[in-house]
C-alpha cells in the first residue's frame, strides 16, 4: 500500500513522537553560554543542528519516503534554515556587551572632589559680562615675625612669642610698620592691590597650591646706644630697623643666625619647625556681626621652600604643596559670599634662640632690641576676572 503522506506530515508526526526535534519550538534565551565556554557551546549547537537535519532524513527513510517533491524539499530546507537562525541568535547574544551597572544617584548638594574650577567656571559663565581665566595666577604676601631680644651683653637670646601672624591683610599703598618704623606697603611686600573700593574687578582666585620662602631680615638696636658710636654714617638706618639686612659675617647681626658653612638662616628654619599655617575667611554681617571660618592647612615645614612664583613655572618641576579644592580668595570681600581671605602662621609655643651680643665699634658688646624675620607665603591657582576693555587710537 502506497503511503500518500507528505514529508511535512511525516516530520510533524516524528516531532510529536520525539523522534526528531522541531526547529520551530520557542527559543529559550537563558540557554546561552558564558564568556568562558562560548566557543565550545557554539560548536555543540552547530553539531546538534546538523544531527537534527540528519534525523529528519532518517525519519523520512523510516517511513519509506525515498523521493520528495520540490515543495517537500522547500519544507525540509525551511526546517534546516530555522535551525541555522537559532545558532545565529545564540552567537549574537554572546557578543552583546554587558549591561552597565546603574551609577548611584548623588545628592544634589554634593560637590565631587577637585571640582572647584568647574564650579567657578559655570558661575562666571552665567554672568552677562565677559571674563577671562588666568591659569598662572599668583598672589604673595610677607609677614613680619618680631624676635625680641632678652638677657645681658654676655648672655642673650631672641624670643619669638607664641600667637598668630597674619598674611594678605594689607595691600599695596596701605600703611604698615617695620620693627616699629612707619612705612608704606610696596610690591616687595605683596602684589595684592586695592586702589579703591570702587575699582574692584570682583576677581575670584581658586587656590590650588602654596609655597613659601624667607623674605629678609632687619635689626633694631637702641638708637641712643647707636648715636654714641662714631663712624657708622648711613649704617645707622640699618641698625635702627629702617632697611633690609643680610649679614652672615656677623658684623651687625648675631652670627648665630646663619649656619657657619651653608649660610642657611637658622632662625627661619626654627620657625618652619615650630609653626603651622591656616587659611581664614571673615564675613561681615548686617548689624555688625561677623562670622569667621578658619581651616588648618599643614605644618609649616611641609610647605616647600622655593623662590619659584608662577604656576606655569611650578608645573615645570618646582615643589608645591597642594591644598584642598574649593578655597577661594576674592579681591572684593564685601560683595563675596566667601568673605575676606587671610593666611595665618600660628606659633603654638614660645621659641627661644640663643645669641651672643656683638661689638658694633664701641668697644663693648651690645645686644639688639629686636630682630625682624620676614616670611613670604605664595598662593598658586586660577584667577577668574572681568575682561578689561581696550581701545585703539587711530
Amino acid at each position: 500500500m502506497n503511503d500518500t503522506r507528505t514529508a511535512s506530515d511525516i516530520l510533524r508526526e516524528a516531532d510529536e513522537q520525539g523522534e526528531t526535534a522541531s526547529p520551530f519550538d520557542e527559543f529559550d534565551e537563558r540557554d546561552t553560554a558564558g564568556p568562558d565556554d562560548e566557543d565550545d557551546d557554539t560548536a555543540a549547537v552547530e553539531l546538534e543542528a546538523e544531527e537534527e537535519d540528519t534525523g529528519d532524513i532518517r525519519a523520512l527513510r523510516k517511513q519509506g519516503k525515498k523521493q520528495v517533491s520540490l515543495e517537500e524539499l522547500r519544507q525540509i530546507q525551511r526546517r534546516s534554515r530555522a535551525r541555522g537562525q537559532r545558532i545565529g541568535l545564540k552567537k549574537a547574544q554572546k557578543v552583546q556587551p554587558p549591561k552597565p551597572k546603574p551609577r548611584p544617584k548623588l545628592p544634589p548638594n554634593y560637590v565631587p572632589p577637585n571640582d572647584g574650577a568647574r564650579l567657578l567656571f559655570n558661575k562666571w559663565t552665567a554672568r552677562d559680562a565677559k571674563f577671562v581665566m588666568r591659569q598662572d595666577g599668583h598672589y604673595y604676601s610677607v609677614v613680619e615675625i618680631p624676635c625680641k631680644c632678652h638677657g645681658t651683653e654676655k648672655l642673650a637670646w631672641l624670643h619669638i612669642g607664641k600667637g598668630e601672624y597674619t598674611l594678605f591683610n594689607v595691600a599695596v599703598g596701605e600703611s604698615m610698620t617695620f620693627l616699629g618704623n612707619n612705612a608704606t606697603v610696596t610690591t616687595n611686600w605683596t602684589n595684592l592691590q586695592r586702589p579703591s573700593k570702587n575699582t574692584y574687578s570682583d576677581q575670584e582666585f581658586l587656590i590650588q597650591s602654596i609655597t613659601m620662602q624667607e623674605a629678609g631680615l632687619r635689626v633694631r638696636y637702641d638708637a641712643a646706644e647707636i648715636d654714641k658710636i662714631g663712624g657708622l654714617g648711613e649704617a645707622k638706618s640699618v641698625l635702627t630697623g629702617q632697611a633690609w639686612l643680610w649679614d652672615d659675617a656677623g658684623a651687625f647681626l648675631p652670627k648665630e643666625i646663619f649656619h657657619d658653612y651653608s649660610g642657611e638662616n637658622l632662625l627661619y628654619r626654627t620657625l618652619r619647625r615650630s609653626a603651622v599655617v591656616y587659611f581664614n575667611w571673615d564675613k561681615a554681617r548686617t548689624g555688625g556681626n561677623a562670622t569667621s571660618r578658619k581651616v588648618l592647612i599643614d605644618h609649616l615645614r611641609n610647605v616647600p621652600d622655593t623662590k619659584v612664583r608662577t604656576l606655569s613655572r611650578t608645573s615645570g618641576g618646582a615643589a608645591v604643596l597642594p591644598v584642598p579644592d574649593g578655597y577661594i580668595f576674592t579681591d572684593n570681600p564685601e560683595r563675596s559670599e566667601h568673605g575676606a581671605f587671610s593666611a595665618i602662621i600660628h606659633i603654638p609655643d614660645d621659641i627661644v634662640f640663643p645669641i651672643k651680643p656683638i661689638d658694633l665699634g664701641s668697644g663693648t658688646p651690645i645686644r639688639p632690641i629686636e630682630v625682624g624675620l620676614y616670611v613670604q607665603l605664595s598662593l598658586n591657582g586660577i584667577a577668574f576676572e572681568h575682561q578689561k576693555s581696550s581701545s585703539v587710537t587711530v
Side-chain angles (χ1 to χ4, degrees):
M1 183 175 72
N2 294 332
D3 191 351
T4 59
R5 292 178 299 169
T6 64
S8 178
D9 294 334
I10 294 173
L11 292 176
R12 183 173 59 254
E13 292 177 2
D15 289 344
E16 292 174 354
Q17 296 174 5
E19 295 180 2
T20 56
S22 172
F24 307 113
D25 293 338
E26 184 177 352
F27 175 63
D28 188 356
E29 295 184 357
R30 294 172 298 177
D31 185 23
T32 58
D36 294 334
D37 58 348
E38 177 179 344
D39 294 338
D40 294 341
D41 187 77
T42 301
V45 173
E46 291 177 347
L47 180 59
E48 179 184 348
E50 183 178 347
E51 291 179 348
E52 289 175 356
D53 288 343
T54 304
D56 286 352
I57 297 174
R58 284 199 303 267
L60 293 174
R61 284 179 178 174
K62 182 179 179 181
Q63 297 299 322
K65 193 76 173 176
K66 297 181 179 180
Q67 293 182 347
V68 294
S69 65
L70 293 177
E71 181 62 30
E72 291 173 331
L73 180 60
R74 278 197 291 269
Q75 291 293 328
I76 295 173
Q77 289 177 331
R78 181 167 172 263
R79 289 170 64 91
S80 180
R81 186 166 54 250
R83 293 184 177 109
Q85 289 175 345
R86 184 174 61 181
I87 297 172
L89 180 59
K90 283 194 174 186
K91 288 183 178 180
Q93 287 184 338
K94 296 180 195 308
V95 299
Q96 287 181 354
K99 293 182 180 180
K101 295 181 180 179
R103 297 181 62 183
K105 186 177 180 181
L106 300 177
N109 58 339
Y110 173 74
V111 179
N114 303 318
D115 213 28
R118 185 185 66 82
L119 292 177
L120 267 183
F121 181 83
N122 292 340
K123 175 182 176 181
W124 280 76
T125 301
R127 299 181 179 181
D128 294 333
K130 293 183 177 180
F131 71 96
V132 295
M133 289 174 55
R134 290 193 294 107
Q135 296 284 350
D136 59 345
H138 174 83
Y139 276 102
Y140 62 87
S141 178
V142 177
V143 64
E144 179 182 78
I145 310 292
C147 310
K148 303 289 185 180
C149 187
H150 300 276
T152 66
E153 278 62 29
K154 292 184 178 181
L155 178 63
W157 62 90
L158 297 177
H159 170 255
I160 302 177
K162 63 182 180 181
E164 296 184 344
Y165 301 84
T166 306
L167 302 102
F168 299 101
N169 58 333
V170 293
V172 173
E174 296 181 358
S175 299
M176 63 170 299
T177 60
F178 288 106
L179 297 183
N181 297 291
N182 293 328
T184 300
V185 178
T186 67
T187 52
N188 186 48
W189 190 263
T190 184
N191 62 345
L192 177 61
Q193 300 190 43
R194 295 177 180 144
S196 75
K197 291 187 177 181
N198 297 321
T199 58
Y200 286 125
S201 63
D202 290 332
Q203 182 192 90
E204 288 184 305
F205 183 80
L206 177 66
I207 305 170
Q208 295 181 310
S209 64
I210 60 176
T211 59
M212 68 175 297
Q213 66 186 70
E214 55 180 308
L217 289 165
R218 292 189 180 222
V219 63
R220 181 168 71 91
Y221 289 88
D222 187 341
E225 294 292 333
I226 297 300
D227 288 339
K228 298 177 182 178
I229 305 173
L232 289 177
E234 296 179 356
K236 286 185 177 181
S237 63
V238 176
L239 298 173
T240 54
Q242 301 176 54
W244 299 103
L245 174 63
W246 182 268
D247 178 29
D248 60 350
F252 294 157
L253 280 170
K255 196 172 183 179
E256 292 75 22
I257 291 178
F258 297 97
H259 192 279
D260 291 339
Y261 301 105
S262 67
E264 179 186 7
N265 186 337
L266 301 180
L267 197 58
Y268 171 67
R269 185 173 72 176
T270 301
L271 175 70
R272 283 176 57 84
R273 296 291 181 133
S274 309
V276 295
V277 59
Y278 284 87
F279 285 171
N280 184 75
W281 290 265
D282 288 312
K283 175 74 173 173
R285 283 186 171 179
T286 305
N289 296 326
T291 59
S292 179
R293 178 191 176 204
K294 189 175 177 182
V295 179
L296 173 64
I297 300 302
D298 209 326
H299 201 287
L300 208 61
R301 62 171 171 259
N302 293 330
V303 181
D305 179 24
T306 177
K307 293 181 172 59
V308 177
R309 293 186 175 183
T310 65
L311 188 64
S312 60
R313 291 180 62 189
T314 56
S315 63
V320 296
L321 176 68
V323 298
D325 185 61
Y327 292 159
I328 307 297
F329 175 23
T330 177
D331 72 341
N332 190 354
E334 288 80 6
R335 297 184 59 185
S336 170
E337 69 271 22
H338 306 290
F341 171 84
S342 61
I344 296 171
I345 292 179
H346 174 66
I347 304 175
D349 299 294
D350 291 342
I351 300 174
V352 174
F353 190 92
I355 61 169
K356 293 179 180 179
I358 56 178
D359 184 358
L360 298 175
S362 63
T364 58
I366 61 174
R367 58 182 177 86
I369 295 176
E370 60 182 338
V371 172
L373 172 64
Y374 299 86
V375 177
Q376 174 179 309
L377 185 69
S378 300
L379 312 176
N380 306 304
I382 304 175
F384 292 76
E385 60 185 21
H386 294 291
Q387 185 181 34
K388 296 180 175 62
S389 59
S390 59
S391 59
V392 179
T393 303
V394 181

